[in-house]
Amino acid sequence: MELTPEQVKQFDRDGFLLFPNLFSGEEVDILRQETDRISQIRSEMVVREGETEAVKIMFRLHETDGETASPAFRAAAHTPRILRAAQQCLHDDDVYMHHSKLNMKAAIEGSAWMWHQDFHAWHLDGIAEPNMATMTVVLTEATPLNGCMYVLPGSHREGRSDPRRDESTAYKLWVAKTPDMKEYMKKYPEPVPIVGGAGTAALFHCNLLHASGHNLSAEDRWQIFFCFNQCKNRPADVENPRPDYVRSRNWTPLTVSAEDGIVTAGRELAA
């Protein structure tokens, strides 16, 4: 997939692009099967919450090694639909994966993600410039009821805000301060829900404010995130760096692979 110049301009202006039905039902089924497999693993890279210990988030699915490594998710990360789009919007062919994660918002128990910018945390990882982007793919239908993601159009142009630490859920993160968020929501257009059937995708800037609500539905909501950075923008050394699964030390430029990589990986996994 090659984005048009108009799409790249739209990304620069709005901070995100939406791609309905970007991945096929067959591809989504393969990725769901891998999600089921990895969610059974007991690891620091698989974060759980609630009385049922439901999985909230899983990390590092894109690598070739490690407990949560997945050939199918690795193949997805290298497809032109994901990697080439990220290269174009970052205006750089030399990009690496800062991290990958799969959010599993459990039915009834799945908690909210407060308004935040990804660069809140990534700047603290030692990354100097907000020249990063994330491609997310919905693996189950995303709706307002099941806690879909919302983005605040154009808010990436605000720059990195001064965040506060939120420790209200099983996964702690840096989030926008409430007074700041109220001002941003007056300043920018109405938040846009990232809704759609499984296979829908969105690409968004690292400073775009985004959030998601509690999953009030009876079904789990699954969504994968591939987070890209320019190789020349790799982290500088910091004290007490976060683990490799959230702050990758593999800065090798990624190469675009075949569009049928997920299906090929699925066949190999089933063999």
Side-chain angles (χ1 to χ4, degrees):
M1 183 178 80
E2 191 81 8
L3 300 180
T4 66
E6 290 72 23
Q7 285 176 305
V8 175
K9 288 179 182 178
Q10 181 182 345
F11 178 87
D12 291 341
R13 182 190 71 229
D14 297 338
F16 74 101
L17 294 170
L18 184 61
F19 305 97
N21 305 312
L22 188 63
F23 289 86
S24 70
E26 181 182 13
E27 291 171 315
V28 169
D29 285 344
I30 292 167
L31 296 177
R32 282 176 178 166
Q33 290 168 19
E34 277 291 86
T35 301
D36 278 329
R37 178 184 69 81
I38 298 166
S39 68
Q40 304 306 310
I41 297 170
R42 290 285 171 169
S43 166
E44 66 175 343
M45 292 179 279
V46 180
V47 179
R48 302 173 185 275
E49 68 176 350
E51 62 183 276
T52 63
E53 291 195 329
V55 175
K56 180 176 177 67
I57 184 169
M58 307 192 298
F59 289 100
R60 206 174 183 273
L61 291 81
H62 68 283
E63 289 286 12
T64 57
D65 63 335
E67 298 165 298
T68 54
S70 165
F73 280 109
R74 177 175 175 79
H78 287 258
T79 59
R81 282 168 286 176
I82 288 179
L83 179 51
R84 182 59 191 143
Q87 290 173 333
Q88 287 184 265
C89 286
L90 291 177
H91 306 281
D92 194 333
D93 287 349
D94 288 337
V95 302
Y96 74 94
M97 187 81 69
H98 185 58
H99 68 236
S100 60
K101 61 185 179 183
L102 201 157
N103 287 355
M104 299 180 70
K105 191 165 287 194
I108 308 301
E109 290 187 315
S111 57
W113 295 84
M114 300 296 288
W115 285 104
H116 66 281
Q117 299 166 314
D118 289 335
F119 202 60
H120 279 152
W122 296 347
H123 184 58
L124 298 177
D125 283 335
I127 298 173
E129 300 297 331
N131 298 327
M132 305 176 70
T134 296
M135 179 69 91
T136 182
V137 182
V138 171
L139 299 182
T140 58
E141 184 181 16
T143 69
L145 182 64
N146 68 16
C148 71
M149 187 172 86
Y150 283 80
V151 300
L152 191 62
S155 59
H156 64 301
R157 300 194 300 272
E158 194 71 31
R160 181 180 182 271
S161 71
D162 180 31
R164 66 172 179 85
R165 187 72 169 168
D166 179 56
E167 299 190 355
S168 62
T169 69
Y171 185 73
K172 321 306 181 190
L173 76 160
W174 294 96
V175 302
K177 294 177 179 176
T178 299
D180 291 342
M181 207 55 234
K182 289 180 178 179
E183 292 302 314
Y184 298 149
M185 295 185 81
K186 293 175 184 175
K187 181 176 180 180
Y188 293 100
E190 285 288 314
V192 174
I194 306 301
V195 294
T200 293
L203 181 64
F204 61 99
H205 190 276
C206 67
N207 265 338
L208 188 74
L209 286 157
H210 57 288
S212 64
H214 197 100
N215 184 357
L216 300 175
S217 79
E219 302 293 334
D220 295 347
R221 183 176 72 76
W222 296 353
Q223 195 161 334
I224 181 70
F225 295 78
F226 298 105
C227 310
F228 298 94
N229 188 19
Q230 296 171 322
C231 292
K232 63 186 179 185
N233 194 37
R234 75 188 200 187
D237 291 339
V238 295
E239 290 187 14
N240 302 315
R242 295 196 297 168
D244 173 77
Y245 62 84
V246 285
R247 181 186 181 271
S248 178
R249 294 164 181 79
N250 182 358
W251 303 315
T252 305
L254 300 172
T255 56
V256 178
S257 299
E259 284 285 21
D260 64 352
I262 299 173
V263 174
T264 300
R267 289 171 181 161
E268 292 172 354
L269 288 167

